[in-house]
Amino acid sequence: MVLSALKNLYTTTFSQASSPESAILAVGNNDGKIAVFDLSGVNASRETSVGERLGGPCRIINAHSDAVYSMVSTDAFCISGTTGLVTGRRWDELQQQQSQAAWTISLECDQANFGTPEVNSLAYDPGRGLVYAACGDWRTHVFDLETGKCTQTLEGHDDYVHDVVTSGNLVASSGEDGQVLVWDPRAGREPRHKLAPHTHDQLARPHLGRFISSLDLYNDWLVCGGGPRVGIFHLRSLALTTVLPSAKSAIHATKFTRHAEGGDRGGIVIAGVLPHLCVCSMAGVVTAQLPSSSPCIYTVNVTDKPFTMMTYGGTSTKIDVCFNLNYRDHTVSLLED
């Protein structure tokens, strides 16, 4: 009982993914578990004022022996990343008691330099069927989902890679070294653009460090933050166009809200060591501050399929749920009822 209570006290949510076909949310934590939620009833209660208020997950999966550092969704699979492994589970089997991983990809172990790298972030390119894994060995590994083979390795960081995202023909990664690297995979292995946000006086916060823990892409725009303040860059000119308001603490999540219905489609979500999640316009105006159950937010998921939803969590046993960007609708527990 005491051990269970202590585990709950130190629960940290690192990652999330949601099914584009059903109202299923998967949440990964520091204990290697994935909590599975069916949020269809919660959404129904919002729309009709009659329905359930979800308490705990419908299932908890012992997914990995180490933390579930990263997750991403495809139409068919919920993909999770941990130390040395990327694993796919079918969305249509995730709620079943006996469901197993459909496939697993093992990363090569480099004992001479890094050992077995952790998978800090995952991104999916649906057009090419590729999964990008940003890892602790300073590289982003690219896997073909059909074959499970590594087709390419993107290099250029001088420390471990925190985040990777894709948009159209571009792939971008950010790292502990303070760099943001942008590739066009069609043009070869060399980065197309290199950014160093900490070198901009408007963004630099030397007392926090130069690391960039999160970034996102949307058309010709890139947003990123971490030790430096959150900034928006225009990729064609590489100019810093907007410095977004942020607290004095580190930032762990930055996302464009292009999927959000009923909110500012050109908006940006900022979260980290804050008592709230902040939503800003592209001009840097704060449009909403949403309360958080977590003193530190590590993960934000925004989707418009099968309905508009934003969920966020971190150092807490709870996940906050929003169906627009103006207020928090629900808070759900990661613990089984």
Side-chain angles (χ1 to χ4, degrees):
M1 177 71 76
V2 174
L3 180 60
S4 177
L6 285 174
K7 278 191 173 183
N8 294 341
L9 182 64
Y10 291 102
T11 293
T12 300
T13 297
F14 285 129
S15 55
Q16 303 175 73
S18 54
S19 168
E21 303 297 331
S22 58
I24 302 298
L25 175 69
V27 179
N29 72 12
N30 60 316
D31 202 30
K33 292 180 169 59
I34 295 177
V36 182
F37 296 88
D38 182 350
L39 297 179
S40 57
V42 177
N43 182 56
S45 69
R46 177 187 70 92
E47 293 181 339
T48 65
S49 299
V50 178
E52 62 181 294
R53 291 191 65 87
L54 192 62
C58 58
R59 189 183 172 214
I60 294 181
I61 301 170
N62 292 313
H64 298 290
S65 59
D66 201 358
V68 186
Y69 293 113
S70 52
M71 300 182 77
V72 73
S73 176
T74 75
D75 287 344
F77 295 105
C78 172
I79 304 175
S80 58
T82 185
T83 302
L85 297 174
V86 177
T87 299
R89 291 174 169 82
R90 294 189 179 278
W91 281 114
D92 57 8
E93 298 177 358
L94 211 58
Q95 297 182 77
Q96 299 175 13
Q97 290 298 324
Q98 303 302 320
S99 67
Q100 301 292 325
W103 50 263
T104 297
I105 297 171
S106 297
L107 276 70
E108 292 186 6
C109 179
D110 182 2
Q111 291 291 358
N113 295 300
F114 303 101
T116 304
E118 70 278 6
V119 180
N120 296 319
S121 177
L122 290 165
Y124 176 59
D125 180 348
R128 299 178 179 85
L130 300 176
V131 169
Y132 294 82
C135 297
D137 61 0
W138 305 7
R139 306 177 180 99
T140 297
H141 302 273
V142 187
F143 297 97
D144 186 319
L145 267 194
E146 187 172 343
T147 65
K149 302 295 184 182
C150 183
T151 62
Q152 192 176 8
T153 300
L154 303 178
E155 302 186 23
H157 286 286
D158 298 320
D159 210 326
Y160 52 86
V161 189
H162 280 297
D163 200 7
V164 62
V165 294
T166 66
S167 179
N169 293 319
L170 297 181
V171 179
S173 63
S174 62
E176 185 70 12
D177 58 1
Q179 291 192 90
V180 173
L181 304 181
V182 182
W183 285 272
D184 183 341
R186 304 167 301 173
R189 296 192 176 191
E190 291 299 315
R192 181 175 172 179
H193 304 301
K194 293 183 179 182
L195 300 171
H198 67 278
T199 63
H200 292 264
D201 292 340
Q202 308 99 304
L203 301 180
R205 296 189 292 187
H207 61 289
L208 294 179
R210 62 176 59 185
F211 68 92
I212 300 297
S213 54
S214 179
L215 79 165
D216 200 7
L217 286 172
Y218 183 48
N219 293 331
D220 292 327
W221 302 98
L222 183 147
V223 62
C224 62
R229 292 181 176 85
V230 180
I232 303 174
F233 291 85
H234 188 258
L235 288 179
R236 293 192 181 183
S237 64
L238 300 185
L240 172 65
T241 62
T242 309
V243 178
L244 297 177
S246 55
K248 298 179 181 179
S249 303
I251 299 300
H252 295 300
T254 55
K255 281 190 179 292
F256 286 109
T257 61
R258 56 189 177 273
H259 298 306
E261 182 181 280
D264 184 351
R265 289 181 177 273
I268 294 167
V269 171
I270 302 171
V273 189
L274 306 167
H276 55 262
L277 178 145
C278 185
V279 184
C280 299
S281 69
M282 289 286 286
V285 178
V286 176
T287 58
Q289 288 187 336
L290 309 182
S292 172
S293 301
S294 303
C296 176
I297 301 172
Y298 283 115
T299 174
V300 178
N301 184 66
V302 182
T303 183
D304 64 347
K305 296 178 181 178
F307 45 76
T308 299
M309 179 175 68
M310 178 170 69
T311 51
Y312 52 99
T315 52
S316 169
T317 58
K318 299 183 183 299
I319 291 289
D320 297 308
V321 183
C322 308
F323 295 106
N324 62 39
L325 299 183
N326 297 319
Y327 59 89
R328 179 179 62 179
D329 292 85
H330 293 271
T331 296
V332 296
S333 173
L334 292 169
L335 308 179
E336 289 183 297
D337 290 336

